[in-house]
Amino acid sequence: MNITVCNPLLRTPLSLIVDDSCPVINLTYYWIQQRHAWKARHQPGVPPDRWEGNAAQLKKIPPTIPADFAAEWAEWCWENGVKGKFSLIPYPAGVGRVDEGFPAQVVEKSSTLEYQAWMRVYRELIWPSFDLTPEMLTHTAVVDLDTFALTEEWEQVEWVNPPVDNRLTDYIIAAMEILDNVGIPCEGVTSPGAFGKRQEAAYAKAVLTASQHVNNNPRPFYFLWLKNDELPDVPIWYPEKENGVAIASIVACAGDWFGGWTGYDLGDADRFITEDLQEGRLPPILEKELPCVLVGHWPGFYFNGEKCGFEILKTVKTRLDNYDPDGTKTLWMKTSEIGHYWMARELTDITVLPVGVVSNRIQQINLSTQFPTANFTLAIDAPIRHVQVNGWDLREVHSRRDFQRDTFLIEGNQQTFIAFDLEIGETQLALIVA
Ligand SMILES: [Zn+2]
């Protein structure tokens, strides 16, 4: 009897990553302003590179993004089942700490009321569908942890190659603690730009250590890689099988083709998936049933109030719905859920006992894991008449549309799929072969 672990409920994971988001502040406005000021101090006379933003566009960029827009966006995601990850930069551009409430007059047009409205949207509308993560501390300059003053180094420039001693771990701890101070135990972190990329092993270790320290969370994730030219994977680092400890690298495969990080570089839905569902980055990945993680940037969805990036998201979602009209091919997940599923997939021991150990009719399979996950799905290369998980009967269904947790499905009279929530410890499957 051959057993394989399949995608959850036989559906390809979909997830939307939103970067550069924070309460009140439009990160792009401050990022470009601070970068150009830095440039004038350190490289006078050298014009900014394209990646450093266009000063001429600054006049159009508002310093804040309204909570009303965040509510509209998040309600749409909720109603349409879009899930993923949404950043909450803890000390955006060094303007104010989110756990100190952004006092009035910190930024133009901002007020305590607007900050409170934003935090309500985060907690009530975004969090149910998205993991909330820090994107380090400021997403601009590196912070001196003793004084919380900004230094002349940049999180996404110098700290692409960060110090690999305790400073890196302390830095991530500081970011996680600010979120914890506002009642948000984060499931992982997001790299601002390429933060940590040249020291990925040390970075992954530091995130894992910080997550255990601040949130007692032994199975976090980090988002660092966007690969638009390779097939995606979910690498698992530092697995400790017996202790249930590991960290997942969530690798995105598509983006940013909404509105860019700038909020003035308009993308195109066709680059994700064309209207005829044949072209674009996503169809070949969906075809291979690999996790499709899309990336967008918060200022790009807002697009200086024109909401053009948000419109592209709506178009992409409509096309993905057309690709999967009965909901049997894809499954929107939070990024932490993808990480947990891949940990369970790789780090669960599955033992098929010889027939006859329990009885001549019953095939017993033992699963042992410290990595729980929802919708754990197995394929068995035999038609099974009856399935029990830890003594509970699963219900047989007859179509993929009805295939949910605690059911099983026989296809082609030769293969059986079984789905259930995998819990920590031992799980016993008892199967009666048809
Ligand atoms: Zn970012």
Side-chain angles (χ1 to χ4, degrees):
M1 184 173 277
N2 256 316
I3 300 177
T4 48
V5 184
C6 308
N7 273 336
L9 306 175
L10 307 175
R11 288 152 202 179
T12 303
L14 294 172
S15 198
L16 174 66
I17 276 180
V18 178
D19 286 353
D20 297 11
S21 39
C22 51
V24 185
I25 302 250
N26 183 351
L27 182 76
T28 298
Y29 175 86
Y30 289 92
W31 197 94
I32 294 177
Q33 211 176 50
Q34 291 179 7
R35 187 69 199 165
H36 290 195
W38 182 95
K39 201 93 181 172
R41 285 197 300 277
H42 293 271
Q43 301 169 0
V46 180
D49 286 331
R50 198 180 135 70
W51 67 269
E52 294 174 306
N54 183 343
Q57 294 279 354
L58 258 188
K59 291 188 281 297
K60 285 192 264 171
I61 301 176
T64 58
I65 296 179
D68 281 353
F69 174 70
E72 178 192 348
W73 186 94
E75 275 168 3
W76 179 88
C77 287
W78 171 256
E79 284 162 10
N80 288 276
V82 172
K83 296 183 184 179
K85 186 276 315 180
F86 196 96
S87 284
L88 200 175
I89 305 170
Y91 186 34
V95 172
R97 286 173 56 137
V98 298
D99 59 347
E100 291 177 352
F102 281 21
Q105 282 92 46
V106 165
V107 287
E108 189 190 334
K109 282 193 238 166
S110 172
S111 70
T112 307
L113 282 179
E114 180 70 358
Y115 163 79
Q116 287 166 348
W118 250 103
M119 292 309 288
R120 239 186 348 265
V121 173
Y122 260 112
R123 290 203 179 87
E124 294 170 13
L125 301 176
I126 301 175
W127 206 2
S129 305
F130 293 84
D131 292 315
L132 303 182
T133 73
E135 198 167 337
M136 285 319 129
L137 279 167
T138 66
H139 204 311
T140 61
V142 171
V143 172
D144 177 337
L145 292 183
D146 291 330
T147 60
F148 259 69
L150 304 189
T151 70
E152 291 297 305
E153 293 192 323
W154 280 64
E155 288 185 348
Q156 66 193 98
V157 185
E158 287 81 4
W159 280 42
V160 170
N161 188 10
V164 294
D165 54 22
N166 285 343
R167 274 181 295 169
L168 179 60
T169 310
D170 290 346
Y171 204 79
I172 298 166
I173 285 174
M176 287 181 168
E177 277 178 343
I178 292 179
L179 262 56
D180 192 49
N181 290 345
V182 291
I184 294 170
C186 63
E187 294 281 351
V189 300
T190 299
S191 277
F195 180 100
K197 195 170 269 185
R198 285 201 211 123
Q199 298 287 352
E200 188 175 3
Y203 175 50
K205 186 80 197 171
V207 176
L208 179 55
T209 303
S211 176
Q212 290 173 288
H213 177 83
V214 178
N215 298 313
N216 201 19
N217 177 354
R219 291 180 285 279
F221 71 88
Y222 63 93
F223 168 56
L224 168 62
W225 291 97
L226 165 59
K227 297 182 178 179
N228 279 321
D229 51 3
E230 283 176 35
L231 289 176
D233 187 15
V234 186
I236 305 296
W237 290 72
Y238 302 111
E240 291 177 36
K241 217 168 172 177
E242 303 304 316
N243 299 326
V245 173
I247 178 163
S249 167
I250 298 297
V251 177
C253 71
D256 173 349
W257 306 312
F258 297 105
W261 68 270
T262 59
Y264 53 75
D265 290 306
L266 192 59
D268 184 349
D270 287 356
R271 296 195 65 184
F272 290 103
I273 181 167
T274 52
E275 194 172 5
D276 66 4
L277 314 178
Q278 303 300 311
E279 307 289 324
R281 174 66 174 151
L282 299 182
I285 298 170
L286 289 166
E287 192 65 33
K288 292 190 170 61
E289 301 182 10
L290 296 170
C292 285
V293 178
L294 286 59
V295 173
H297 289 83
W298 182 239
F301 291 109
Y302 185 57
F303 215 78
N304 299 336
E306 293 173 53
K307 308 180 187 179
C308 304
F310 186 24
E311 290 306 315
I312 291 175
L313 173 61
K314 290 177 181 174
T315 302
V316 170
K317 178 61 169 58
T318 300
R319 292 176 185 179
L320 287 170
D321 288 345
N322 293 340
Y323 172 84
D324 183 19
D326 63 358
T328 56
K329 290 198 272 192
T330 59
L331 181 68
W332 285 92
M333 297 170 76
K334 294 185 181 184
T335 41
S336 61
E337 293 169 340
I338 294 176
H340 292 158
Y341 198 88
W342 254 255
M343 289 175 192
R345 183 175 220 163
E346 289 183 18
L347 300 167
T348 298
D349 287 325
I350 301 177
T351 314
V352 181
L353 301 185
V355 178
V357 168
V358 185
S359 94
N360 282 336
R361 292 172 60 238
I362 296 175
Q363 171 77 65
Q364 191 174 320
I365 300 167
N366 289 351
L367 286 77
S368 174
T369 195
Q370 295 299 315
F371 298 86
T373 190
N375 298 319
F376 197 61
T377 301
L378 298 173
I380 295 170
D381 63 343
I384 306 293
R385 190 162 10 123
H386 196 88
V387 180
Q388 277 192 347
V389 177
N390 289 336
W392 288 91
D393 290 335
L394 298 198
R395 182 169 59 89
E396 184 177 359
V397 295
H398 300 281
S399 73
R400 287 201 178 204
R401 194 200 298 236
D402 294 332
F403 186 53
Q404 296 294 343
R405 72 177 55 138
D406 296 332
T407 69
F408 69 100
L409 167 71
I410 303 172
E411 277 189 357
N413 209 24
Q414 55 192 0
Q415 199 168 35
T416 304
F417 300 109
I418 300 173
F420 54 93
D421 288 349
L422 181 65
E423 288 169 12
I424 285 184
E426 309 298 316
T427 299
Q428 290 184 341
L429 302 188
L431 313 176
I432 299 176
V433 180

